[in-house]
Structures are given as structure tokens and as C-alpha cells.
Amino acid sequence: MLVTSIEYTSQEMIVVAGARILEDNKVVFVGTGLPMIATVLAIRHRAHGIIPVFEAGAVGPPLEGGLPFSVGDSRTASRASFVRGLNAAFEMTQRGFCDYGFVGGAEIDPYGNLNSTMMGKFPEEYQKPKARLPGSGGASDMASSCERTILIMPHERRRFNEKINYVTSPGYLDGSPGARERAGLLGQGPHRVITTKAVLGFDDETRRMKILHTYAGETVESIQESTGFELLVDPDVSPFDPPTIEELTLIREEIDPLGFFVKKPVKEKVLPNQF
Amino acid sequence: MSSNEEQFFWTGLTPDAARKALVNKDKSKRDKRSSLKDAVNRFIKDGDNVAIGGFVDNRQPVAATFEMIRHGFKDLTLSYQSGGMAIDYLAGAMALRPDHFSIKRMEFAYWAHESFGLSPIFRYIAENGMVELEDWSNYNMSARFKAGAMGLTFIPCRSPLGSDILKKCRAKVMDCPFTGRPIILLPASYPNVAIIHVQTADMFGNCVINGTDATCQEIAMAADYTIVTCERIVPHRVITRRPKEIGIPFFAVDAVVHVPFGAYPTNCRRYYYFNKEHIATFHALGTRLRKGDPKGLAAYYDDYIFGAKGFEDFIDHFPVRKLLEEYQSEMQNFERMV
């Protein structure tokens, strides 16, 4: 398919934004789903020095043979610099080898805590939840022990809540000063939240989420409208450039030519599978 | 057994019992080749804590789960870090025929299918409260198996402090005696049985794993009994040419079963990539079950599992052309073969 216009889907935008936020020459512990696609785009497009780490144990694969379907599949192992198993990957993370963790979830609160476990009352309904999600996988370990985390979420009001059903992956916890350190966590916590509408960060003092960049067609008001809690707004809030032809071409023709990962409209995903 | 061990709720063997069982075990280097039916019949029993090898839909011990389903078991505990099709198959059997096959409890970090979506069978089982759940993180489950493999009673871990996971599992958060900072103590896992699929083994049970090790070595070392299925059995003198490539040593293995395609339709490095269509078909049947219609899933189990004598009958359902497609995809992933 030839890219002739710059029409794009919100999923393409979120992948492009994720790819642009990643810093070159850093070690990125990559979660499954959207983080995987964004990381591949970043590596192919401009940040060739990114070193991806996968929780099933692969370090630094070039990811040239198509997008992996799983963070443990053969494509993550091919030509990797090092492959062991899960313990090795998480031990490296705990030691401090991973600069960024790149993860998603189903629900997020203002302090960047993520839920990927259950919907319903916790702990009362834990053994019989309203909706059961996959569980932590490695997300909570990444959120705990990578030095910084980048979170990626479809921006829908029902997913952005002041109080989430269950804290799977710790962000800034209750937002109080030093909350992560007091809990015994190693990493500094969430750095950015990439959504289908905006790029957000966190206030240094209150640790609450704040809008940094708005995507084309979105305003501070429209983003707030899609968020179930009050967002802070950075005084220097600025527009985020839409995907370039080059980025879209890479996604559509090289990275995901069959549209298996990126084409699906986000709305169809009742519950996400990207963690 | 010490009194503290009795107070704590151990779901497989206690550390002392696991040690004693291993001390009393015949660890000789002998021919352990077996049929899957005999291995399952001999080493798994009702109420066991069964550890599942692989990682999500990679190297899942699918053939072993089919044999377990045909045999029928009651009140199993399943322990794994991230599970995919193997867990779906076992739980689907319970959903259809709870009098024949049942799971009492799961200790786990993740059950879904990554890019292939959620597990509708998990939603059905959990949302109807059919299995006791104990959520952990991937590192937690992996480290628990590692603690078992190391002969420990617990292992410290720094994640996920501050998470709700720690409110409903048996981990304890303590102040580290050396730094005074909070640290998680994870109880070791000593499963009764491990089921693991590997690429290559010899008849004594030495195993070579390609691609991710997942936590297969830890699981095999921690479990009381280990059943290995493999794509190939090679002579001992061949597998020992590169001793450091042996991921699981023979004395941690109790049965070696030659099952080509034993992880199908999941990914087995060097042999086959995912059968994405079959995984999707199975999930569609799971979704119908969740919405109240078990007929499609029941027909699947009748055709592919209950009506099959062995795993070969399951593989016979797939055209050679389809098996070759996954083989070719895997060859593209695995450049050393070119």
C-alpha cells in the first residue's frame, strides 16, 4: 500500500508518539503490544541505538524479521546479544540495567498507577471479579524496577480514573513525597504517558498527571473531557506533530504490512491486550 | 517438618519434604523414555500442584495437557508465570466436564495471549468464581521457582512493592535486616510435578532449550517430578558435545517423551511458529462458552482431545501444507538454518 495522504488512525498516532519519546542509546524493557510496535518504529526510524530487553529473556535483538507476536517468541531471540529466561531479565532490571520500562494497562490513575488485573471491588470481589484481566505479567516488575517508565494507554474516560479498581503496577502510589522510596521501590517511576490524544507527564511536586503535548485535532479541553480525573496543564503545553509520511510508510509497509497490530481501531478493543 | 512450616500454607511440597523426596530418589542415569500416557499416569495425581513450562504461547506443553485431560484429574493447583494455550486447554476441560477434570487453584502472573487477545476461558472461569486465584508478578513466580531450585524456603525480591498484588498473596513484606528498607519475601515453590516441552533431549533427560529458557530449568529443578516432552531425542554423545548448552540436567527429569509438534499450536523455536488461525478459532469457541454456549468448545474437545488416542491424532487434523507454513515462518526467524 502506498501512502498518498497523511490520514492516520489514532493507533498509528500512539505508536508514532511512543517511538518519538524513546531516547536513543538507552536500554528499554519492552512490554507486549503497543510498546513493542513503538519500539520497533523507534529503532528503524531514528533511534538505532535503542537496546530492547524482553521479559522472556532476550537482550538487544535487531527485530528485523517482522514484529514479534509475543515478548517471548522466536523473533525476540533471533540474533539477540543474550538470551536466558525470565529470572535473568528481571534480575538485570532489579540491578539497574534497564533505563526505561515501556508498558500498558487497562486503567490508570492520576499518579500513574496501572491496573491490568481486574474490574470490580478489591479485595471483596477478587475471587469473582466483574471482569477479569490477564494479570500483571512482568508489568508490575517493570514499573517497580526500571529506572523510569513510559506508559501507553488508549485515551478513554472510563480508563482514566481518580481511583482505579486494583493497583497492579505501581506508579507514584498515593502521590505523597517519597512514596515510592518509602515503599521500597527502586526506580523513579512514571516519566510519560502516551495516549491516543496527548503526551502527558507528571508534576514534580504533586506527582499528578499533566498535559505536555496535544495531538492534532485535540485541545486541553477535549483531552480533559476524555479523562475521569482532573488533569494539570503544563504552562508550556504545545502541539505534538502528527505522524510524518516517513513514519506512516515505515509502519504500513515495513513494520506491520498486514495491519495485524496497528490497523485495528482502538474502539474495538473492549479490554486491551497490550501489556 | 518444623512447626513454622506447618503454619504456613504450602501448596506443593514443603521445603523439607522436597529435600527429603529428592534425597530418597533414584538419580541414576537411566533410560527414562516413556509414552505420554504412562508418564502422566505415573507421575501426576489428584490434588497435585502442577507447574507449567513455557511462556505465554511459547513452548507450552500442549501435548502433556491433552494427555492430562484425557486421563482426568481432580483439584489440581496450576503454577506458572505467564500462561497461554496450555492453561486454556486445561481450564476449558474443567468448564466442560468438571466431574472429569478440575482445577482448584492457580498461582500465576498472567493468563492471556498477548497479540492474540485475552483468554475468554479465563474470564469465564474467574468471573464465575470457579478457581481460587493467587496473582503474582512474572518475576515473583519465576523467583519462587528459582528459590525451589536453590533449595531455599523463600527468596527476597524488590518488586512489586506498593502493589495490590501483595495484599492477596502469601508474600511477606519485611524491613531488610541490612538496610532497614522494605523488601518482599517470596515463598519458594516446590510443585509436585512439572510439565515442560523442549526442543531436544537425550534418553536420560538432558535437555537443550532454544530461544527463551522461560523458567523451565527452575521449574524442573524445583518440582518433585518432571515430565519432559521433546521435538527430538538425540543420542547422549550428541547432546553432551556442548555440555553448557544443556539447560536441564538429566537427574532433574523423570520421564522423556518424544512428541513432535508437542507445543503446537504455540511457538517452538527452530521447529514451528504460531498457528495464529487455530489459536483464534479456539478463542472464538471460548468466547461462545463465556456467552453461555458451550457446544462449539465441547465439539472441539470431542474431536481433538477426548476422541483422540494420542497427540498424533490432534496433529493429523492439520494439513501438511499448514504445518509447513509454520515451519517455514520459523525458518525465517531462525537464520542459522540457512
Side-chain angles (χ1 to χ4, degrees):
Chain A
M1 179 195 6
L2 214 75
V3 179
T4 50
S5 72
I6 41 175
E7 277 180 41
Y8 52 88
T9 65
S10 57
Q11 255 207 332
E12 286 169 330
M13 184 65 235
I14 199 172
V15 165
V16 165
R20 287 191 201 153
I21 294 298
L22 291 178
E23 213 181 324
D24 201 1
N25 297 315
K26 295 290 184 185
V27 180
V28 181
F29 196 124
V30 187
T32 197
L34 290 172
M36 209 151 57
I37 305 156
T39 304
V40 172
L41 177 61
I43 293 172
R44 299 268 177 92
H45 187 224
R46 44 153 207 98
H48 310 297
I50 286 174
I51 299 134
V53 171
F54 292 96
E55 66 197 82
V59 175
L63 300 172
E64 284 164 352
L67 275 172
F69 289 85
S70 159
V71 290
D73 88 32
S74 275
R75 291 176 177 176
T76 67
S78 292
R79 296 180 51 226
S81 294
F82 182 79
V83 180
R84 293 293 185 274
L86 279 85
N87 273 312
F90 292 119
E91 285 162 11
M92 288 187 268
T93 309
Q94 196 164 256
R95 176 67 182 88
F97 281 104
C98 298
D99 300 307
Y100 289 101
F102 197 2
V103 293
E107 202 190 6
I108 192 167
D109 75 8
Y111 305 107
N113 301 300
L114 286 170
N115 172 19
S116 55
T117 302
M118 60 165 276
M119 296 297 188
K121 281 203 192 78
F122 180 80
E124 297 86 345
E125 296 175 355
Y126 171 64
Q127 295 295 354
K128 198 180 174 184
K130 286 202 175 65
R132 178 63 215 208
L133 307 173
S136 160
S140 66
D141 301 306
M142 292 154 71
S144 298
S145 299
C146 291
E147 187 56 14
R148 303 304 310 259
T149 48
I150 297 170
L151 317 176
I152 193 159
M153 296 276 301
H155 207 131
E156 297 164 28
R157 197 178 169 90
R158 66 195 177 92
R159 295 176 185 278
F160 284 66
N161 293 314
E162 183 69 38
K163 182 96 183 64
I164 57 179
N165 286 264
Y166 180 104
V167 175
T168 309
S169 301
Y172 292 111
L173 301 173
D174 64 1
S176 62
R180 283 183 65 94
E181 203 192 347
R182 264 200 320 282
L185 290 167
L186 284 169
Q188 290 180 53
H191 171 60
R192 290 288 181 268
V193 184
I194 318 278
T195 78
T196 39
K197 292 179 181 293
V199 173
L200 305 101
F202 292 87
D203 183 70
D204 287 341
E205 282 180 20
T206 64
R207 296 303 194 188
R208 284 184 70 98
M209 206 182 289
K210 68 174 176 187
I211 305 175
L212 300 179
H213 306 291
T214 57
Y215 296 167
E218 299 291 344
T219 60
V220 165
E221 292 72 27
S222 72
I223 293 161
Q224 177 61 67
E225 185 56 34
S226 303
T227 308
F229 52 82
E230 198 159 335
L231 289 167
L232 303 175
V233 181
D234 191 85
D236 301 321
V237 66
S238 62
F240 197 82
D241 289 339
T244 63
I245 297 274
E246 198 188 352
E247 285 163 328
L248 290 174
T249 306
L250 269 170
I251 296 173
R252 293 174 189 174
E253 291 175 21
E254 284 187 38
I255 296 172
D256 187 26
L258 300 178
F260 189 91
F261 297 90
V262 189
K263 240 185 190 170
K264 284 179 285 184
V266 170
K267 266 187 201 151
E268 277 182 16
K269 294 194 168 180
V270 178
L271 296 163
N273 54 26
Q274 56 262 29
F275 29 80
Chain B
M1 194 195 291
S2 76
S3 56
N4 277 342
E5 272 199 10
E6 280 170 276
Q7 280 164 24
F8 184 81
F9 173 40
W10 295 93
T11 53
L13 281 71
T14 65
D16 283 355
R19 163 84 192 188
K20 204 170 167 188
L22 193 53
V23 167
N24 292 328
K25 201 167 177 176
D26 172 10
K27 292 177 280 290
S28 63
K29 204 165 96 182
R30 62 191 189 282
D31 187 353
K32 292 169 193 159
R33 285 172 297 179
S34 161
S35 73
L36 197 45
K37 197 171 179 175
D38 288 348
V40 163
N41 192 41
R42 185 168 165 210
F43 294 112
I44 310 180
K45 56 188 189 309
D46 289 346
D48 271 359
N49 180 344
V50 181
I52 315 285
F55 172 84
V56 199
D57 286 324
N58 303 284
R59 227 164 21 74
Q60 285 265 275
V62 174
T65 63
F66 279 25
E67 200 53 52
M68 286 171 67
I69 293 165
R70 275 190 288 271
H71 182 286
F73 288 101
K74 291 268 192 305
D75 298 330
L76 297 178
T77 290
L78 304 183
S79 293
Y80 55 95
Q81 13 78 5
S82 285
M85 291 303 282
I87 316 301
D88 268 276
Y89 281 127
L90 293 173
M94 176 170 76
L96 294 169
R97 290 178 57 182
D99 52 330
H100 175 72
F101 191 90
S102 66
I103 302 160
K104 194 177 102 196
R105 176 184 167 84
M106 290 200 303
E107 304 176 12
F108 74 112
Y110 175 99
W111 173 13
H113 301 273
E114 302 190 69
S115 309
F116 309 127
L118 298 169
S119 164
I121 295 179
F122 186 19
R123 290 198 59 189
Y124 176 78
I125 296 281
E127 291 163 22
N128 288 297
M130 293 166 71
V131 172
E132 188 183 314
L133 301 172
E134 189 179 32
D135 276 83
W136 302 81
S137 74
N138 264 345
Y139 186 26
N140 290 168
M141 282 309 295
S142 303
R144 293 186 61 215
F145 293 131
K146 184 167 187 166
M150 293 166 77
L152 292 172
T153 53
F154 71 88
I155 191 164
C157 177
R158 303 180 79 152
S159 61
L161 284 156
S163 161
D164 283 341
I165 291 171
L166 299 176
K167 293 180 183 160
K168 292 296 279 181
C169 71
R170 289 164 295 157
K172 295 200 187 307
V173 178
M174 293 183 69
D175 289 337
C176 165
F178 303 105
T179 66
R181 292 190 64 197
I183 187 93
I184 304 167
L185 309 188
L186 305 168
S189 173
Y190 291 94
N192 300 93
V193 194
I195 54 171
I196 295 171
H197 184 75
V198 305
Q199 283 83 357
T200 312
D202 70 8
M203 67 181 195
F204 306 122
N206 288 302
C207 299
V208 172
I209 294 171
N210 303 113
T212 174
D213 289 330
T215 45
C216 290
Q217 184 193 64
E218 293 91 330
I219 290 171
M221 304 292 271
D224 196 9
Y225 296 108
T226 297
I227 299 171
V228 162
T229 57
C230 61
E231 295 293 328
R232 282 176 77 195
I233 294 187
V234 298
H236 181 61
R237 64 181 162 71
V238 172
I239 211 164
T240 48
R241 260 183 220 156
R242 292 197 181 97
K244 289 187 79 177
E245 283 189 4
I246 295 172
I248 301 174
F250 68 92
F251 54 31
V253 172
D254 297 276
V256 178
V257 189
H258 184 213
V259 190
F261 286 91
Y264 197 76
T266 71
N267 173 214
C268 182
R269 186 162 172 79
R270 290 198 194 194
Y271 288 85
Y272 38 92
Y273 205 45
F274 310 95
N275 182 336
K276 301 187 274 292
E277 296 79 8
H278 195 76
I279 291 172
T281 300
F282 185 80
H283 291 162
L285 299 174
T287 300
R288 276 160 59 187
L289 164 83
R290 192 172 78 75
K291 293 182 174 167
D293 172 17
K295 286 197 293 290
L297 194 68
Y300 181 99
Y301 274 72
D302 286 343
D303 286 352
Y304 290 93
I305 305 178
F306 291 119
K309 281 197 191 69
F311 200 67
E312 300 85 346
D313 290 354
F314 170 67
I315 295 301
D316 271 347
H317 283 276
F318 300 92
V320 171
R321 181 191 307 223
K322 183 63 185 155
L323 298 176
L324 280 173
E325 185 185 318
E326 277 100 41
Y327 168 76
Q328 292 300 342
S329 303
E330 185 54 28
M331 286 308 99
Q332 283 170 18
N333 298 333
F334 186 64
E335 294 168 337
R336 259 167 67 191
M337 296 293 277
V338 185

